[in-house]
Amino acid sequence: MDHGVSLITTVAAAFGVALILGFIAERIKVPALVGYLVAGIIIGPASPGFVADVNIASQLSEIGIMLLMFGVGLHFSPADLLAVKRLAVPGAIVQMGCAALLGIGLASWWGWSFGAALVFGLSLSCASTVVLLKSLEARNLLDTMNGKIAVGWLVVQDLVTVMVLVLLPALAGILGSHTAVANSSSLWSTIGQTLLQVTAFIVLMLVVGRRLLPWMLWQVARTGSRELFTLSVIATAIGIAYGAAELFKVSFALGAFFAGSVMRESEFSHRAAEESLPLRDAFSVLFFVSVGMLFDPSVLVDRPLHVLGVVAIILLGNSIPAATLVLVFKYPLNTALTIAASLAQIGEFSFILAGLGKSIGLLPAEGVNLILAGALISIALNSFVFTAISPFRRWILDRSALARRLEVNLDPYAELPMSTERKYLEGQVVLVGYGRVGRRIAKALDERGIPYVVAEQNREVVEDLRKNGRAAVSGNAGDPAVLIQAHIANAAMLVVATPDTINVRQMAETARTLNPAIEIILRTHNEEESVLLHNEGIGSVFFGEEELAKGMTSHVLDRFAPGSSATGAH
């Protein structure tokens, strides 16, 4: 009975204090995650007054890790990663390597062992997906090209960190763990056995799970019970994570991640994400609270220079290499600054990695405290870093000719080649966006032999289009220079196939200024936006749900037309 009371007390205190501090954090424009971490500090053993049960909080946090990783798996899209792979994959690896080396160097200077320094450096190199997504959503950047690159970058980080989590226990002995027995003769066999177990689990999930889980969700969905569907999603996430740990010695995090990524194959994946979201959010709060309970605030007083060094690596050691690499790949300055701001913080994977390092005897308690201090400070500062992008960009553009050249674009695909045929330069269609809608429009134009020029933000898509003999320019069509390069002045029509309501007016204004007679076709997902655009007379507006209703209505009326089979049956 005492154990039960301790559990209820811990949960009540964690949720209650986290609610208050999370609310305060949001009110002062700081991520609620900071409030949850501070809540953990308040009810943890390092603070006076009430102390929650650390062991119970730790077990609850394991559930939080499972559900967090399950959510990451549900939203992990190989297609999204492949769309930005040429920048995100090398970028994430180089950026993580630079930050990890800085962390290793700093920890070695403090006199730590190599194993401790390695875990410390890696923990400082992986940004928080949760913090990034919230920052991008708050600024309407999630669906932009910059947002997609940032998310793809973090997906690569997550995959690299997952591999580190798998290999670290096997390498603990050779890295100097006090709890593991170092035996170099059995090192390779241990690593081999670990990789074999992980491979067996992954194969089982991809071969069996990919077929079984969607089928199971379909069977549960057929019952019509929402409660049973939610239960099946949660049971799957936690059950597979637990089974993976027991049978294959795979971490809870990796097991839950693959459960989510395999379930994503189901047509019910979107519903699964929605149904599990409340419980996932609740337990993720407990995870961050439990992490805060491990933090000792005295490190801020006892080791202020150490904390300063950690924060410098997080803010600068991650951002500067990332921004430099983005510019080397000839992306504009604005993209480089957005990626830099995205990586200027650490979060959940850093906590998981630090916790694992401590549990296997590699990372000292001081290291965990320094990582937590760095996370708290960097997350609190991240919203201000994002806010500083625009004024910093204006400031550096005013003072640096090099920055102006970078902003103008060194992109080799920003201009049409001199060899472009004349039919693409006069009387053509300028098609903005080559996503799901844009590709279908382009296919129809190809079938009719109508020439068109694609304006697309994803440079890799533009590169592929040109390899296939199509005319395309890269860049944001809200920038007049992009439409000018697409020869909008001589075009017959502008088709905006991307739901970019922020820049659509700028596109239309540029098109009308350079070509008053041009016809403009717009797409929108929002009914209010559709009405406003109609009223402004910018062009012909197509609202997704309205067009779907028209198509379905037309089909129904055709079926019930005089002489149709439906009319005869009726």
Side-chain angles (χ1 to χ4, degrees), residues 202-396:
I202 293 174
V203 169
L204 181 66
M205 290 299 295
L206 293 179
V207 175
V208 179
R210 181 169 287 182
R211 292 174 173 81
L212 181 61
L213 292 184
W215 177 84
M216 183 195 73
L217 279 184
W218 167 245
Q219 297 302 319
V220 174
R222 288 176 63 186
T223 66
S225 170
R226 179 174 179 177
E227 294 82 0
L228 201 58
F229 185 86
T230 303
L231 178 60
S232 69
V233 172
I234 301 302
T236 299
I238 296 177
I240 290 178
Y242 178 77
E246 288 294 311
L247 300 177
F248 298 95
K249 309 303 179 187
V250 173
S251 68
F252 288 139
L254 184 63
F257 173 80
F258 270 97
S261 60
V262 169
M263 193 173 284
R264 193 182 191 281
E265 300 293 321
S266 168
E267 60 185 281
F268 297 103
S269 60
H270 183 68
R271 182 180 169 191
E274 287 185 344
E275 298 291 348
S276 63
L277 185 61
L279 196 61
R280 195 164 74 239
D281 284 346
F283 274 97
S284 67
V285 169
L286 291 177
F287 167 65
F288 290 116
V289 170
S290 70
V291 168
M293 291 174 68
L294 300 174
F295 178 60
D296 185 356
S298 64
V299 72
L300 298 173
V301 178
D302 298 338
R303 296 282 191 273
L305 294 180
H306 286 51
V307 173
L308 187 62
V310 170
V311 173
I313 290 176
I314 296 170
L315 295 183
L316 303 176
N318 284 311
S319 302
I320 293 177
T324 302
L325 197 70
V326 172
L327 294 175
V328 166
F329 274 76
K330 297 185 177 181
Y331 279 80
L333 178 63
N334 185 49
T335 300
L337 293 176
T338 301
I339 301 301
S342 302
L343 300 172
Q345 42 83 18
I346 60 173
E348 57 275 3
F349 262 121
S350 301
F351 305 151
I352 295 171
L353 190 55
L356 176 62
K358 185 174 183 295
S359 68
I360 61 178
L362 283 177
L363 189 67
E366 180 186 359
V368 177
N369 279 328
L370 288 171
I371 291 168
L372 292 174
L376 277 166
I377 295 170
S378 65
I379 291 171
L381 292 175
N382 194 244
S383 58
F384 301 106
V385 173
F386 262 102
T387 304
I389 290 177
S390 293
F392 176 75
R393 175 172 161 271
R394 288 194 297 269
W395 180 84
I396 197 170

Side-chain angles (χ1 to χ4, degrees), residues 407-420:
E407 181 69 10
V408 166
N409 226 329
L410 296 176
D411 185 356
Y413 299 101
E415 299 179 2
L416 287 177
M418 295 296 291
S419 59
T420 302

Side-chain angles (χ1 to χ4, degrees), residues 42-99:
I42 291 174
I43 65 174
S47 300
F50 170 78
V51 177
D53 191 313
V54 177
N55 292 326
I56 289 176
S58 177
Q59 292 186 46
L60 292 172
S61 75
E62 291 286 359
I63 300 176
I65 292 171
M66 294 181 204
L67 296 177
L68 270 174
M69 293 306 301
F70 178 71
V72 172
L74 273 175
H75 291 94
F76 172 67
S77 171
D80 289 344
L81 177 58
L82 290 173
V84 296
K85 64 182 184 298
R86 292 174 196 169
L87 175 60
V89 174
I93 293 172
V94 169
Q95 168 261 314
M96 291 185 74
C98 291

Side-chain angles (χ1 to χ4, degrees), residues 9-25 32-44 50-52 285-286 289 293:
T9 304
T10 300
V11 172
F15 279 141
V17 180
L19 172 63
I20 295 170
L21 294 180
F23 175 77
I24 293 172
L33 191 151
V34 176
Y36 306 152
L37 291 169
V38 175
I41 297 172
I42 291 174
I43 65 174
F50 170 78
V51 177
V285 169
L286 291 177
V289 170
M293 291 174 68

Side-chain angles (χ1 to χ4, degrees), residues 431-443 446 452 454-458 461-462 464-465 468 470 472 497-498:
L431 176 60
V432 177
Y434 199 74
R436 288 176 296 179
V437 175
R439 283 195 298 271
R440 286 172 169 80
I441 296 173
K443 183 180 178 181
D446 283 330
Y452 61 92
V454 175
E456 166 62 47
Q457 291 192 66
N458 190 332
V461 171
V462 173
D464 291 338
L465 284 169
N468 293 323
R470 293 183 173 88
T498 176

